[in-house]
Amino acid sequence: MTLDRSSEKKISRWKEDIQCVLERDPAARNTFEIVTAYPGLHAVLFHRLSHRLWTFGLKWLARMLSNLARFLTGIEIHPGAVIGRRFFIDHGMGVVIGETAVIGDDCTLYHGVTLGGTSWEKGKRHPTLANNVVVGAGAKVLGPLDIGEGARIGSNAVVLKDVPAGATVVGVQTN
C-alpha cells in the first residue's frame, strides 16, 4: 500500500506532535502513553481537523468539533486560530486560545494559559507567538500583541504589550 503525498504529510506531522511531547515532558514514557493519555496532544489533533474545516468554510461544523474537543480535553482552541508545528500543551486544563491567535513552531503552553482578546472589534484581537515561545502556567497574554522568538512568559504573568525576542517577562506587563 502506498500513501499519497498529503497522507504522508499528515502522518509526518502527527509523528512530530508525538515526538515533541517525548522531548519536552520528562514524565512521558512512550508513544502509546502519549497517544492514549495526553489531552494536550488530543486537543492539538482535534484543532488541526477543526481548523481545516474552518478554512474550507465549514464554520459551524468546525465550531462543533472544537466544542467536542473542549468537552473531552478541557482545552479550548478556536478553530480559526493558526498553530505551527510541534506545538505542545502540557497539563492543558483551562487553556484558552482565541480565534485570531497565531502560534509559531515549537511553542509550549502550560495549564491555565489564556491567549485572549481585549476588544469586541472585528479583526486581529489575539496574540501572535513567534517560534520557540514558552508560556507558563496561568499566564494571560491579551490583545493583538507580538511575543518575540524564544520569549518566556512566567507563570501567572499578565501580558498586555509586545515582548521582544529572547526576553523573559513576569508579573503584570502594561503600557
Side-chain angles (χ1 to χ4, degrees):
M1 179 175 114
T2 60
L3 297 174
D4 64 9
R5 204 146 177 68
S6 175
S7 296
E8 287 176 4
K9 185 177 174 183
K10 288 176 195 166
I11 291 170
S12 174
R13 178 75 62 95
W14 291 341
K15 286 180 180 179
E16 282 184 348
D17 287 336
I18 293 164
Q19 186 61 37
C20 86
V21 175
L22 282 168
E23 291 169 1
R24 293 186 215 164
D25 185 354
R29 290 186 290 264
N30 57 58
T31 299
F32 180 75
E33 179 182 52
I34 292 166
V35 169
T36 57
Y38 271 69
L41 175 68
H42 301 153
V44 170
L45 295 177
F46 270 109
H47 173 73
R48 296 205 192 284
L49 178 55
S50 67
H51 182 71
R52 180 167 286 212
L53 293 170
W54 185 264
T55 59
F56 286 150
L58 300 170
K59 306 236 188 260
W60 180 85
L61 187 57
R63 290 298 300 263
M64 292 306 294
L65 182 60
S66 174
N67 198 39
L68 175 64
R70 180 182 60 168
F71 176 77
L72 294 172
T73 67
I75 299 166
E76 181 174 342
I77 307 174
H78 191 285
V82 176
I83 295 177
R85 297 170 71 168
R86 298 172 301 277
F87 175 53
F88 178 45
I89 302 172
D90 196 9
H91 300 286
M93 183 61 77
V95 167
V96 177
I97 300 171
E99 176 185 14
T100 62
V102 177
I103 300 172
D105 296 338
D106 302 302
C107 291
T108 301
L109 303 183
Y110 290 92
H111 70 276
V113 167
T114 298
L115 302 180
T118 56
S119 167
W120 292 344
E121 302 294 319
K122 298 280 186 195
K124 180 74 170 144
R125 302 181 311 281
H126 302 92
T128 297
L129 279 56
N131 297 336
N132 300 301
V133 171
V134 176
V135 184
K140 309 303 176 215
V141 184
L142 305 174
L145 46 91
D146 293 312
I147 307 300
E149 183 164 351
R152 302 292 184 253
I153 309 296
S155 293
N156 295 314
V158 178
V159 180
L160 302 173
K161 65 180 184 176
D162 291 349
V163 175
T168 299
V169 296
V170 296
V172 178
Q173 309 296 314
T174 63
N175 289 334

